[in-house]
Amino acid sequence: MCLGIPMQIKSIDGFTAQCEAKGIQREVSLFMLQHEALQPDDFVVVHVGYAIQKVTPQEARSAWEIYDEMLAKMESPPDA
């Protein structure tokens, strides 16, 4: 299974952005979205280092809520 991670753009230099999610920063390629108007504070879905889709802040928040629920279930002990 592959997941795209919503991240917020912090800065842009050409086709490269510094993005952040949950306190983690990554360098992300914007090449696949080169025809999209992107600016700092926008949210993008990142997959293997590439921004693949621009999303709204609400969509990013919803995705993280689902990911947090999945992680919580994986961390809790199985029912006896």
Coordinates of all heavy atoms in Angstrom, one line a residue:
M1 N 0.8 -1.2 0.0 CA 0.0 0.0 0.0 C 0.9 1.2 0.0 O 1.9 1.3 0.7 CB -0.9 0.0 1.2 CG -1.7 1.2 1.4 SD -3.0 1.1 2.7 CE -2.0 1.5 4.1
C2 N 0.5 2.2 -0.8 CA 1.3 3.5 -0.9 C 0.4 4.6 -0.3 O -0.8 4.6 -0.6 CB 1.7 3.8 -2.3 SG 2.7 2.6 -3.1
L3 N 1.0 5.4 0.5 CA 0.3 6.6 1.0 C 1.0 7.9 0.6 O 2.2 8.0 0.5 CB 0.3 6.6 2.5 CG -0.4 5.5 3.2 CD1 -0.2 5.5 4.7 CD2 -1.9 5.5 2.9
G4 N 0.2 8.9 0.2 CA 0.6 10.2 0.0 C 0.5 11.0 1.3 O -0.6 10.8 2.0
I5 N 1.5 11.7 1.7 CA 1.4 12.4 3.0 C 1.2 13.9 2.7 O 1.9 14.6 2.0 CB 2.8 12.3 3.7 CG1 3.1 10.8 3.9 CG2 2.8 13.0 5.0 CD1 2.1 10.0 4.7
P6 N 0.1 14.5 3.3 CA -0.1 15.9 3.2 C 1.0 16.7 3.9 O 1.3 16.4 5.1 CB -1.5 16.2 3.9 CG -2.0 14.8 4.1 CD -0.9 13.8 4.1
M7 N 1.6 17.7 3.3 CA 2.6 18.5 3.9 C 2.3 20.0 3.5 O 1.8 20.3 2.4 CB 4.0 18.1 3.4 CG 4.4 16.7 3.7 SD 6.1 16.3 3.4 CE 6.8 16.9 4.9
Q8 N 2.8 20.9 4.3 CA 2.6 22.3 4.1 C 3.9 22.9 3.5 O 5.0 22.6 4.1 CB 2.3 23.0 5.4 CG 1.9 24.5 5.1 CD 1.5 25.2 6.4 OE1 1.8 24.8 7.5 NE2 0.6 26.2 6.2
I9 N 3.8 23.6 2.5 CA 5.0 24.3 1.9 C 5.5 25.4 2.8 O 4.7 26.3 3.1 CB 4.7 24.8 0.4 CG1 4.3 23.6 -0.5 CG2 5.9 25.6 -0.1 CD1 3.8 24.1 -1.9
K10 N 6.7 25.4 3.1 CA 7.3 26.4 3.9 C 8.1 27.4 3.1 O 8.1 28.6 3.3 CB 8.2 25.9 5.0 CG 7.5 25.0 6.0 CD 6.4 25.9 6.7 CE 5.7 25.1 7.8 NZ 4.7 26.0 8.5
S11 N 8.8 27.0 2.0 CA 9.5 27.8 1.1 C 9.7 27.1 -0.2 O 9.6 25.9 -0.3 CB 10.9 28.2 1.7 OG 11.7 27.1 1.8
I12 N 9.9 27.9 -1.2 CA 10.0 27.4 -2.6 C 11.3 28.0 -3.2 O 11.5 29.2 -3.2 CB 8.8 27.7 -3.5 CG1 7.5 27.1 -2.9 CG2 9.0 27.2 -4.9 CD1 6.2 27.4 -3.6
D13 N 12.0 27.1 -3.9 CA 13.2 27.6 -4.7 C 13.2 26.8 -6.0 O 13.5 25.6 -6.1 CB 14.5 27.3 -3.9 CG 15.7 27.8 -4.7 OD1 15.6 28.6 -5.6 OD2 16.8 27.3 -4.3
G14 N 12.6 27.4 -7.1 CA 12.5 26.8 -8.3 C 11.5 25.7 -8.2 O 10.3 25.9 -7.9
F15 N 11.9 24.4 -8.6 CA 11.0 23.3 -8.5 C 11.2 22.5 -7.2 O 10.8 21.3 -7.1 CB 11.1 22.4 -9.7 CG 10.6 22.9 -11.0 CD1 11.4 23.0 -12.1 CD2 9.3 23.4 -11.1 CE1 11.0 23.5 -13.3 CE2 8.8 23.9 -12.3 CZ 9.7 24.0 -13.4
T16 N 11.8 23.1 -6.2 CA 12.1 22.4 -4.9 C 11.4 23.2 -3.8 O 11.5 24.4 -3.8 CB 13.6 22.3 -4.7 OG1 14.2 21.6 -5.8 CG2 13.8 21.5 -3.4
A17 N 10.8 22.5 -2.9 CA 10.1 23.2 -1.8 C 10.6 22.5 -0.5 O 10.9 21.3 -0.4 CB 8.6 23.1 -1.9
Q18 N 10.7 23.3 0.6 CA 10.9 22.8 1.9 C 9.4 22.7 2.5 O 8.7 23.6 2.5 CB 11.7 23.8 2.8 CG 13.2 23.8 2.4 CD 13.8 22.4 2.6 OE1 13.6 21.7 3.6 NE2 14.7 22.1 1.6
C19 N 9.1 21.4 2.9 CA 7.7 21.2 3.3 C 7.8 20.6 4.8 O 8.8 20.0 5.2 CB 7.0 20.2 2.4 SG 6.8 20.8 0.8
E20 N 6.7 20.8 5.5 CA 6.6 20.3 6.9 C 5.3 19.6 7.2 O 4.3 20.0 6.7 CB 6.8 21.5 7.8 CG 6.9 21.2 9.3 CD 5.6 21.1 10.0 OE1 4.6 21.7 9.6 OE2 5.5 20.3 10.9
A21 N 5.4 18.6 8.0 CA 4.2 17.9 8.5 C 4.6 17.3 9.8 O 5.6 16.6 9.9 CB 3.8 16.8 7.5
K22 N 3.8 17.5 10.8 CA 4.0 17.0 12.1 C 5.4 17.2 12.7 O 6.0 16.4 13.3 CB 3.7 15.4 12.1 CG 2.3 15.1 11.7 CD 1.4 15.1 12.9 CE 0.0 14.5 12.5 NZ -0.8 14.5 13.7
G23 N 5.9 18.4 12.4 CA 7.2 18.8 12.9 C 8.4 18.2 12.1 O 9.6 18.5 12.4
I24 N 8.1 17.4 11.1 CA 9.2 16.9 10.2 C 9.3 17.7 8.9 O 8.3 17.9 8.3 CB 8.9 15.4 9.9 CG1 8.6 14.6 11.1 CG2 9.9 14.8 9.0 CD1 9.8 14.4 12.0
Q25 N 10.5 18.1 8.6 CA 10.7 18.8 7.3 C 11.4 18.0 6.3 O 12.2 17.2 6.6 CB 11.5 20.1 7.6 CG 10.8 21.1 8.5 CD 11.3 22.5 8.4 OE1 12.2 22.8 7.7 NE2 10.8 23.4 9.2
R26 N 11.0 18.1 5.1 CA 11.5 17.4 3.9 C 11.7 18.3 2.7 O 10.9 19.3 2.6 CB 10.6 16.2 3.5 CG 10.5 15.2 4.5 CD 11.7 14.3 4.5 NE 11.6 13.2 5.5 CZ 12.1 13.1 6.7 NH1 12.7 14.1 7.2 NH2 11.9 12.1 7.4
E27 N 12.7 18.0 1.9 CA 12.8 18.7 0.6 C 11.9 17.9 -0.4 O 12.0 16.7 -0.5 CB 14.3 18.7 0.2 CG 14.6 19.5 -1.0 CD 16.0 19.6 -1.2 OE1 16.7 20.5 -0.6 OE2 16.6 18.8 -2.1
V28 N 11.1 18.6 -1.1 CA 10.1 18.0 -2.0 C 10.2 18.6 -3.4 O 10.3 19.8 -3.5 CB 8.7 18.2 -1.4 CG1 7.6 17.7 -2.4 CG2 8.5 17.5 -0.1
S29 N 10.2 17.7 -4.4 CA 10.2 18.2 -5.8 C 8.8 18.7 -6.2 O 7.8 17.9 -5.9 CB 10.6 17.1 -6.7 OG 10.4 17.5 -8.1
L30 N 8.7 19.8 -6.8 CA 7.4 20.4 -7.3 C 7.3 20.1 -8.8 O 6.4 20.6 -9.4 CB 7.3 21.9 -7.0 CG 7.4 22.2 -5.5 CD1 7.4 23.8 -5.4 CD2 6.3 21.6 -4.7
F31 N 8.2 19.4 -9.4 CA 8.2 19.3 -10.8 C 6.9 18.7 -11.4 O 6.5 19.2 -12.4 CB 9.4 18.3 -11.2 CG 9.6 18.3 -12.7 CD1 10.2 19.3 -13.4 CD2 9.1 17.2 -13.4 CE1 10.4 19.3 -14.7 CE2 9.3 17.1 -14.8 CZ 9.9 18.2 -15.5
M32 N 6.3 17.8 -10.7 CA 5.0 17.2 -11.3 C 3.9 18.2 -11.2 O 2.9 18.0 -11.8 CB 4.7 15.9 -10.5 CG 5.7 14.8 -10.8 SD 5.4 13.3 -9.9 CE 3.9 12.7 -10.7
L33 N 4.0 19.3 -10.4 CA 3.0 20.3 -10.3 C 3.5 21.6 -10.9 O 3.0 22.7 -10.5 CB 2.6 20.5 -8.8 CG 2.0 19.3 -8.1 CD1 1.6 19.6 -6.7 CD2 0.7 18.8 -8.9
Q34 N 4.4 21.6 -11.8 CA 5.0 22.8 -12.3 C 4.0 23.8 -13.0 O 4.3 25.0 -13.0 CB 6.1 22.5 -13.3 CG 5.7 21.7 -14.5 CD 6.8 21.3 -15.4 OE1 7.5 22.2 -15.9 NE2 7.1 20.0 -15.6
H35 N 2.8 23.3 -13.4 CA 1.8 24.2 -14.0 C 0.8 24.6 -12.9 O -0.2 25.3 -13.3 CB 1.1 23.5 -15.1 CG 2.1 23.1 -16.2 ND1 2.8 24.1 -16.9 CD2 2.5 21.9 -16.7 CE1 3.6 23.4 -17.8 NE2 3.5 22.1 -17.6
E36 N 1.0 24.3 -11.7 CA 0.0 24.6 -10.6 C 0.6 25.9 -9.9 O 1.8 26.0 -9.7 CB 0.0 23.5 -9.6 CG -1.0 23.7 -8.5 CD -2.5 23.3 -8.9 OE1 -2.6 22.2 -9.5 OE2 -3.4 24.0 -8.6
A37 N -0.2 26.8 -9.6 CA 0.2 28.0 -8.8 C 0.4 27.6 -7.3 O -0.6 27.4 -6.6 CB -0.8 29.1 -8.9
L38 N 1.6 27.5 -6.9 CA 2.0 27.1 -5.6 C 2.7 28.2 -4.9 O 3.5 28.9 -5.5 CB 2.8 25.8 -5.5 CG 2.1 24.5 -6.1 CD1 3.1 23.4 -6.2 CD2 1.0 24.1 -5.2
Q39 N 2.5 28.3 -3.6 CA 3.2 29.3 -2.8 C 3.3 28.8 -1.4 O 2.7 27.9 -1.0 CB 2.4 30.6 -2.8 CG 1.0 30.6 -2.3 CD 0.3 31.8 -2.6 OE1 0.7 32.7 -3.3 NE2 -0.9 32.0 -2.1
P40 N 4.2 29.4 -0.6 CA 4.3 29.0 0.8 C 3.0 29.1 1.5 O 2.1 29.9 1.2 CB 5.3 30.1 1.4 CG 6.2 30.4 0.2 CD 5.2 30.4 -0.9
D41 N 2.8 28.1 2.4 CA 1.6 27.9 3.2 C 0.5 27.0 2.5 O -0.4 26.6 3.1 CB 0.9 29.2 3.7 CG 1.8 29.9 4.7 OD1 2.5 29.2 5.5 OD2 1.8 31.1 4.7
D42 N 0.7 26.7 1.2 CA -0.1 25.8 0.5 C 0.2 24.4 1.0 O 1.2 24.1 1.5 CB 0.1 25.8 -1.0 CG -0.5 27.0 -1.7 OD1 -1.4 27.7 -1.1 OD2 -0.1 27.3 -2.9
F43 N -0.8 23.5 0.8 CA -0.7 22.1 1.2 C -0.6 21.2 -0.1 O -1.3 21.5 -1.0 CB -1.8 21.6 2.1 CG -1.8 22.2 3.4 CD1 -2.3 23.4 3.7 CD2 -1.2 21.4 4.5 CE1 -2.2 23.9 5.0 CE2 -1.2 21.9 5.8 CZ -1.7 23.2 6.0
V44 N 0.3 20.3 -0.1 CA 0.4 19.3 -1.2 C 0.5 17.9 -0.6 O 0.9 17.7 0.5 CB 1.7 19.6 -2.0 CG1 1.5 20.9 -2.8 CG2 3.0 19.6 -1.2
V45 N 0.1 17.0 -1.4 CA 0.3 15.5 -1.1 C 1.6 15.1 -1.6 O 1.9 15.3 -2.8 CB -0.9 14.7 -1.6 CG1 -0.6 13.2 -1.4 CG2 -2.2 15.1 -1.0
V46 N 2.5 14.5 -0.8 CA 3.8 14.1 -1.2 C 3.9 12.6 -1.2 O 3.5 11.9 -0.2 CB 4.8 14.7 -0.2 CG1 6.3 14.3 -0.5 CG2 4.8 16.2 -0.2
H47 N 4.5 12.1 -2.3 CA 4.7 10.6 -2.4 C 6.1 10.4 -3.0 O 6.4 11.0 -4.0 CB 3.6 10.0 -3.4 CG 3.8 8.6 -3.6 ND1 3.7 7.6 -2.6 CD2 4.2 7.9 -4.7 CE1 3.9 6.4 -3.1 NE2 4.2 6.6 -4.3
V48 N 6.9 9.7 -2.3 CA 8.3 9.4 -2.6 C 9.1 10.7 -3.0 O 9.8 10.7 -4.0 CB 8.5 8.3 -3.6 CG1 8.1 7.0 -3.0 CG2 7.8 8.6 -4.9
G49 N 8.9 11.8 -2.3 CA 9.6 13.0 -2.5 C 9.1 13.9 -3.5 O 9.7 15.0 -3.8
Y50 N 8.0 13.6 -4.1 CA 7.3 14.4 -5.2 C 6.0 14.9 -4.7 O 5.2 14.1 -4.2 CB 7.2 13.7 -6.5 CG 8.4 13.4 -7.2 CD1 9.2 12.3 -6.9 CD2 8.9 14.3 -8.2 CE1 10.4 12.0 -7.6 CE2 10.1 14.0 -8.9 CZ 10.8 12.9 -8.5 OH 12.0 12.7 -9.2
A51 N 5.7 16.2 -4.9 CA 4.4 16.7 -4.6 C 3.5 16.3 -5.8 O 3.9 16.5 -7.0 CB 4.4 18.2 -4.5
I52 N 2.4 15.6 -5.5 CA 1.6 15.0 -6.6 C 0.2 15.7 -6.8 O -0.4 15.4 -7.7 CB 1.5 13.5 -6.5 CG1 0.8 13.1 -5.2 CG2 2.8 12.8 -6.7 CD1 0.5 11.6 -5.0
Q53 N -0.2 16.4 -5.7 CA -1.5 17.1 -5.8 C -1.5 18.2 -4.8 O -1.0 18.1 -3.7 CB -2.6 16.0 -5.4 CG -4.0 16.5 -5.4 CD -5.0 15.5 -5.1 OE1 -4.6 14.3 -4.7 NE2 -6.2 15.8 -5.1
K54 N -2.1 19.3 -5.2 CA -2.4 20.4 -4.2 C -3.7 20.1 -3.6 O -4.7 19.6 -4.2 CB -2.5 21.7 -5.0 CG -2.7 22.9 -4.1 CD -2.7 24.2 -4.9 CE -3.0 25.4 -4.1 NZ -3.1 26.7 -4.9
V55 N -3.8 20.3 -2.2 CA -5.0 20.0 -1.5 C -5.3 21.2 -0.6 O -4.5 22.1 -0.3 CB -4.9 18.8 -0.6 CG1 -4.8 17.5 -1.5 CG2 -3.7 18.8 0.4
T56 N -6.5 21.3 -0.1 CA -6.9 22.4 0.8 C -6.4 22.0 2.2 O -6.2 20.9 2.5 CB -8.5 22.5 0.8 OG1 -9.0 21.3 1.4 CG2 -9.1 22.7 -0.6
P57 N -6.4 23.0 3.1 CA -6.0 22.8 4.4 C -6.9 21.8 5.1 O -6.5 20.9 5.9 CB -6.1 24.1 5.1 CG -5.8 25.1 4.0 CD -6.5 24.5 2.8
Q58 N -8.2 21.8 4.8 CA -9.2 20.9 5.4 C -8.9 19.5 4.9 O -9.0 18.5 5.7 CB -10.6 21.3 5.0 CG -11.1 22.7 5.5 CD -10.6 23.9 4.7 OE1 -10.0 23.7 3.6 NE2 -10.8 25.1 5.2
E59 N -8.6 19.3 3.6 CA -8.3 18.0 3.1 C -7.0 17.4 3.8 O -7.0 16.2 4.2 CB -8.1 18.0 1.6 CG -9.4 18.2 0.8 CD -9.2 18.5 -0.6 OE1 -8.2 19.2 -1.0 OE2 -10.0 18.0 -1.4
A60 N -6.0 18.2 4.0 CA -4.8 17.8 4.7 C -5.1 17.4 6.1 O -4.7 16.4 6.6 CB -3.8 18.9 4.6
R61 N -5.9 18.2 6.8 CA -6.3 17.9 8.2 C -7.0 16.6 8.3 O -6.8 15.8 9.1 CB -7.1 19.1 8.7 CG -6.8 19.4 10.1 CD -7.5 20.7 10.7 NE -8.4 21.4 9.8 CZ -8.0 22.5 9.2 NH1 -6.8 23.0 9.3 NH2 -8.9 23.2 8.4
S62 N -8.0 16.4 7.4 CA -8.8 15.2 7.4 C -7.9 13.9 7.1 O -8.1 12.9 7.8 CB -9.9 15.2 6.3 OG -10.8 16.2 6.6
A63 N -7.0 14.0 6.2 CA -6.1 12.9 6.0 C -5.3 12.6 7.2 O -5.1 11.4 7.6 CB -5.2 13.2 4.8
W64 N -4.7 13.6 7.9 CA -3.9 13.4 9.1 C -4.8 12.8 10.2 O -4.3 12.0 11.0 CB -3.2 14.7 9.5 CG -1.9 14.8 8.8 CD1 -1.5 15.7 7.9 CD2 -0.8 13.9 9.0 NE1 -0.3 15.4 7.5 CE2 0.2 14.3 8.1 CE3 -0.5 12.8 9.8 CZ2 1.5 13.7 8.0 CZ3 0.7 12.2 9.7 CH2 1.7 12.6 8.8
E65 N -6.0 13.2 10.3 CA -6.9 12.6 11.3 C -7.0 11.1 11.1 O -7.0 10.3 12.0 CB -8.3 13.2 11.3 CG -8.3 14.6 11.9 CD -9.6 15.4 11.7 OE1 -10.6 14.8 11.2 OE2 -9.7 16.6 12.1
I66 N -7.2 10.7 9.8 CA -7.3 9.3 9.5 C -6.0 8.6 9.7 O -6.0 7.5 10.3 CB -7.7 9.1 8.0 CG1 -9.2 9.6 7.8 CG2 -7.6 7.7 7.5 CD1 -9.6 9.8 6.3
Y67 N -4.9 9.1 9.4 CA -3.6 8.5 9.6 C -3.3 8.4 11.1 O -2.8 7.3 11.6 CB -2.4 9.4 9.0 CG -2.5 9.4 7.5 CD1 -1.8 10.4 6.8 CD2 -3.2 8.5 6.7 CE1 -1.8 10.5 5.4 CE2 -3.2 8.6 5.3 CZ -2.5 9.6 4.7 OH -2.6 9.7 3.3
D68 N -3.7 9.4 11.9 CA -3.5 9.3 13.4 C -4.4 8.2 13.9 O -3.9 7.4 14.8 CB -3.9 10.6 14.0 CG -2.8 11.7 13.8 OD1 -1.7 11.4 13.4 OD2 -3.2 12.9 14.0
E69 N -5.6 8.0 13.4 CA -6.4 6.9 13.9 C -5.8 5.5 13.5 O -5.8 4.6 14.4 CB -7.8 7.0 13.2 CG -8.7 8.0 13.8 CD -10.1 8.1 13.1 OE1 -10.6 7.0 12.7 OE2 -10.6 9.2 13.1
M70 N -5.3 5.4 12.3 CA -4.6 4.2 11.9 C -3.4 3.8 12.8 O -3.3 2.7 13.2 CB -4.2 4.3 10.4 CG -5.4 4.3 9.5 SD -5.0 4.6 7.7 CE -3.3 4.0 7.5
L71 N -2.6 4.9 13.1 CA -1.4 4.7 13.9 C -1.8 4.3 15.3 O -1.2 3.4 15.9 CB -0.6 5.9 13.9 CG 0.2 6.2 12.6 CD1 0.8 7.6 12.7 CD2 1.2 5.1 12.3
A72 N -2.9 4.9 15.8 CA -3.3 4.6 17.2 C -3.8 3.1 17.3 O -3.5 2.4 18.3 CB -4.4 5.5 17.6
K73 N -4.5 2.6 16.3 CA -4.9 1.2 16.3 C -3.8 0.3 16.1 O -3.8 -0.8 16.7 CB -5.9 1.0 15.1 CG -7.3 1.7 15.4 CD -8.2 1.4 14.3 CE -9.5 2.2 14.4 NZ -10.4 1.7 15.4
M74 N -2.7 0.7 15.4 CA -1.6 -0.2 15.2 C -0.8 -0.3 16.5 O -0.1 -1.3 16.8 CB -0.7 0.3 14.1 CG -1.3 0.2 12.8 SD -0.3 0.9 11.4 CE 1.2 0.0 11.5
E75 N -0.8 0.8 17.4 CA 0.0 0.8 18.6 C -0.7 0.2 19.8 O -0.1 -0.1 20.8 CB 0.3 2.3 18.9 CG 1.3 2.9 17.9 CD 1.5 4.4 18.1 OE1 0.8 5.0 19.0 OE2 2.4 4.9 17.4
S76 N -2.1 0.1 19.7 CA -2.8 -0.5 20.8 C -2.7 -2.0 20.8 O -2.7 -2.6 19.7 CB -4.2 0.0 20.9 OG -4.8 0.2 19.6
P77 N -2.7 -2.6 22.0 CA -2.6 -4.0 22.1 C -3.8 -4.7 21.5 O -4.9 -4.1 21.7 CB -2.4 -4.3 23.5 CG -2.8 -3.1 24.3 CD -2.7 -2.0 23.3
P78 N -3.7 -5.9 20.9 CA -4.9 -6.6 20.4 C -5.8 -6.9 21.6 O -5.4 -7.2 22.7 CB -4.4 -7.8 19.7 CG -2.9 -7.9 20.2 CD -2.5 -6.6 20.7
D79 N -7.1 -7.0 21.3 CA -8.1 -7.4 22.3 C -7.8 -8.9 22.7 O -7.5 -9.7 21.9 CB -9.5 -7.3 21.8 CG -9.9 -5.8 21.6 OD1 -9.3 -4.9 22.3 OD2 -10.7 -5.5 20.8
A80 N -8.0 -9.2 24.0 CA -7.8 -10.6 24.4 C -9.0 -11.4 24.2 O -10.1 -11.0 24.1 CB -7.4 -10.5 25.9

